[in-house]
Amino acid sequence: MKTAFVGKGGSGKTTLAALFTRYLAEDRSTGGSPPALLAIDADINQHLAVALGADPDEAAMLPALGDRLDEIKEYLRGDNPRIPSAAAMLKTTPPGAGSRLVRVEEHNPLYAGLVHRIGPVRLAVTGPFAADDLGVACYHSKVGAVELLLNHMLDGPGEYAVVDMTAGADSFASGLFTRFDLTFLVCEPTVRSVGVYRQYVGYARDHGVRVAVVGNKVDDADDVTFLREQVGDDLLCWIGRSGFVKAAERGRHLQIGDLEAGNAEALRVMRAALDGCVKDWRRYAAQAAEFHTRNAVAWGNARAGEDLTAQIDPDFVLQPATVAAR
C-alpha cells in the first residue's frame, strides 16, 4: 500500500508520519516479521529523517532524489519505445511496455545511492530548497522525482510506501496527491486545522482520493467532540498528548513498545484502514494518464517541441498481472 500524510503546517504531520512508519517497522504484536517498507520525505521542510531518529547533521547530508532527477528518469524509462530520451520525460510520465519498474524493497541502482537506513526504517528524501533555487526554481520540480518513482512502483501485499507531503493544499500543485491508496490528513482540534481539512477533501474527492482524518494533540473528550462535529465520519482515530512523542522531539527515541496504549491503538487502527483498502490499478493508471496529459498540454509539449501525450501506453496497466506477463 502507498500512503501519505498531509495537513496544516504545524499540525504534527511529520511527527505522525514518523510515528506510523516506526510502528510498521517495529511492531511485533502479531509475531510476524517486519513488512517491506520505504519512507519518503516529500515536504519542502525536510524533517522526517530527524523525526525518525537521525542526527541533524547526518540528515542534512543525505543525498536527495531531487538532485538525481535525470538519473531517475534514465533508469525508469528503460527501453520504452515511447520515450526516446530522459530529457523528454516529465515528472508525470507514466510507465509503459519497456519501462523499468521498482518495488518497495529491492536492490537497484537508484536505491543503492538514494535510500538510507535510519534505524529500522529505509528512507529517501527529495532534498531541501537550496540557495541556488531561490527565486528561480519551483519545489515541485524536486517532488517530481517522488511522483515518477510512485508512478513506476509496483507494491504488493505486506509492502508499504509512506510519504510525508507538503503542508496544506500545496500538495495539489502536482498529480502526486492521486498516487496513494489512502491519505491520512492530520487535524488538530482547531478552526484553522479544520479549514485545511475542508479545503483538502474538497479537491481530493473530485478525484476519488480516499482521505481519513487522524486527530492530533487531543487533550480530552471535548477535543474529540469538536473533531467529530467538524469532520464527521472522516475521523478515523486520534493521538493524545504523548510523553513518547515529546521525548522524540527532544532527541530521545524510545522503542515503539513504550508508546502509550491509546496512541498505539490509534496506529493499529490506521494500519488496519490502510490494509483494508482495495487496490484499483486501472484507476491508478487512468489518473497518471490524466495528469500527464494536463502537464503535457499546459507546458510540456511546448518545451519539448513534441506531443508528450504519446508517451501514454494505452495497453499498459501497472499491476502484478501485467508484470507477470512481461
Side-chain angles (χ1 to χ4, degrees):
M1 290 295 179
K2 302 179 180 77
T3 188
F5 282 78
V6 301
K8 182 183 73 68
S11 64
K13 171 181 62 65
T14 298
T15 298
L16 261 65
L19 192 60
F20 185 67
T21 302
R22 287 193 59 200
Y23 175 78
L24 292 175
E26 298 178 41
D27 179 54
R28 297 294 182 274
S29 60
T30 61
S33 58
L37 176 64
L38 177 65
I40 302 175
D41 192 345
D43 191 353
I44 190 170
N45 300 305
Q46 297 275 280
H47 297 316
L48 186 57
V50 174
L52 288 170
D55 178 87
D57 292 335
E58 173 193 2
M61 298 301 293
L62 294 177
L65 295 170
D67 295 337
R68 306 267 287 274
L69 184 57
D70 290 341
E71 178 184 335
I72 291 170
K73 289 179 177 179
E74 186 63 46
Y75 180 82
L76 294 177
R77 80 180 183 93
D79 57 6
N80 186 334
R82 293 174 176 272
I83 307 173
S85 68
M89 293 181 72
L90 304 182
K91 62 184 180 180
T92 52
T93 297
S99 296
R100 287 193 180 99
L101 305 179
V102 295
R103 301 300 298 255
V104 172
E105 187 170 282
E106 67 175 358
H107 298 289
N108 64 51
L110 294 183
Y111 286 3
L114 292 169
V115 175
H116 328 280
R117 186 167 289 279
I118 309 295
V121 175
R122 295 163 57 253
L123 172 70
V125 303
T126 57
F129 205 65
D132 292 344
D133 299 323
L134 296 178
V136 298
C138 171
Y139 186 70
H140 298 98
S141 63
K142 297 178 181 292
V143 178
V146 179
E147 190 167 354
L148 274 170
L149 275 180
L150 295 184
N151 273 347
H152 292 74
M153 181 179 288
L154 186 71
D155 49 311
E159 298 180 338
Y160 300 89
V162 181
V163 182
D164 182 23
M165 296 277 280
T166 53
D170 194 45
S171 301
F172 294 97
S174 75
L176 182 57
F177 76 98
T178 67
R179 302 295 80 197
F180 306 104
D181 299 291
L182 179 63
T183 296
F184 292 116
L185 194 153
V186 180
C187 189
E188 300 169 273
T190 66
V191 171
R192 285 193 300 166
S193 197
V194 168
V196 171
Y197 152 78
R198 289 177 177 156
Q199 185 181 31
Y200 197 97
V201 296
Y203 292 135
R205 289 196 172 132
D206 287 342
H207 295 276
V209 173
R210 298 186 188 101
V211 176
V213 173
V214 178
N216 192 33
K217 305 177 186 177
V218 171
D219 288 321
D220 51 34
D222 286 343
D223 286 344
V224 176
T225 298
F226 175 83
L227 287 172
R228 286 200 188 281
E229 290 173 346
Q230 299 299 318
V231 310
D233 293 340
D234 284 343
L235 182 62
L236 177 67
C237 59
W238 55 88
I239 301 289
R241 297 286 181 174
S242 169
F244 181 97
V245 170
K246 181 181 288 187
E249 291 175 343
R250 294 176 175 176
R252 189 164 61 94
H253 295 271
L254 307 175
Q255 297 298 309
I256 204 70
D258 296 324
L259 185 65
E260 299 85 1
N263 291 335
E265 174 62 13
L267 296 178
R268 187 199 65 77
V269 169
M270 292 166 65
R271 181 176 186 175
L274 180 58
D275 289 343
C277 294
V278 177
K279 280 282 189 187
D280 189 343
W281 288 111
R282 291 195 175 277
R283 185 177 71 175
Y284 195 76
Q287 289 171 330
E290 174 190 352
F291 280 91
H292 181 65
T293 299
R294 288 188 182 198
N295 279 266
V297 171
W299 60 274
N301 291 346
R303 189 191 71 175
E306 60 181 292
D307 181 10
L308 298 183
T309 63
Q311 294 178 348
I312 299 171
D313 185 342
D315 300 320
F316 184 90
V317 175
L318 180 69
Q319 59 183 342
T322 305
V323 176
R326 291 174 58 202

